């Protein structure tokens, strides 16, 4: 059980400027499928490939909070 007060937890939270969704690497169709909460199937991978082709790396960013 934590004895920290809620305001102390907020001070320890990771600042938004340090949070990111990718490490700068290529976005894989599997990443987009999983981020969308879909099962990895040939159809969902094709959907993800098309999404990456039209949106680029932002395809993944748009799916993640």
């Amino acid at each position: 059980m934590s004895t920290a007060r809620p305001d102390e937890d907020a001070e320890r939270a990771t600042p938004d400027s340090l949070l990111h969704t990718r490490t700068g690497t290529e976005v894989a169709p599997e990443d987009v499928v999983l981020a969308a909460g879909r099962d990895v199937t040939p159809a969902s991978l094709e959907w993800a490939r098309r999404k990456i082709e039209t949106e680029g790396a932002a395809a993944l960013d748009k799916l993640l909070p």
Side-chain angles (χ1 to χ4, degrees):
M1 184 163 111
S2 173
T3 58
R5 296 187 330 253
D7 57 325
E8 289 175 343
D9 288 339
E11 292 175 13
R12 294 185 307 186
T14 304
D16 288 344
S17 62
L18 296 178
L19 297 174
H20 51 83
T21 57
R22 310 184 262 119
T23 60
T25 60
E26 214 37 54
V27 174
E30 291 85 356
D31 297 331
V32 174
V33 169
L34 294 173
R38 298 181 178 197
D39 290 329
V40 178
T41 65
S44 65
L45 290 171
E46 184 55 35
W47 165 81
R49 284 186 194 95
R50 288 192 311 271
K51 190 166 180 63
I52 292 169
E53 284 177 15
T54 59
E55 300 176 20
L60 182 61
D61 295 336
K62 290 177 181 179
L63 293 170
L64 298 174

